[in-house]
Amino acid sequence: MADISNLTREIQKQLQYYAADVKEKVEAIQNQSAKALVNDLKRDSPQKSGDYAKGWRIKRTPKKLIVHNATNYQLTHLLEHGHAKKNGGRVQPQVHIRPNEERAVQDYIDKIERAIEE
């Protein structure tokens, strides 16, 4: 039982424990979500030679994780949005990034909310 004179200190200590616990859970959820997104992108990417699908990676920065295609980064926009052909006409888009990103973001938000409620 905390003494009334130490109540502020005790509350701060408990809040620090809570913040550290939530931070740990958030980092674990970030890693899980990024890995799941990379696996989904590899599965759903167009498979001409397979190099594009194998190129999805996670880049870690001090504040965030970035999922990107390290080997064929130029193709991501062209495949996702389509592009003009050399002799006229357009190549139809092969949408594979947006649905996976939306699913990953929603899954991330749901997991974070559950982690905070615990």
Side-chain angles (χ1 to χ4, degrees), residues 37-51:
L37 178 58
V38 166
N39 289 335
D40 291 345
L41 286 169
K42 285 182 179 184
R43 181 193 66 227
D44 295 343
S45 291
Q47 299 283 337
K48 188 172 182 179
S49 69
D51 291 339

Side-chain angles (χ1 to χ4, degrees), residues 46 75-84 90-98:
L75 291 178
T76 57
H77 181 83
L78 297 175
L79 289 171
E80 186 76 6
H81 300 288
H83 57 89
R90 291 200 54 85
V91 173
Q92 291 299 313
Q94 297 180 13
V95 180
H96 60 287
I97 298 172
R98 181 177 295 125

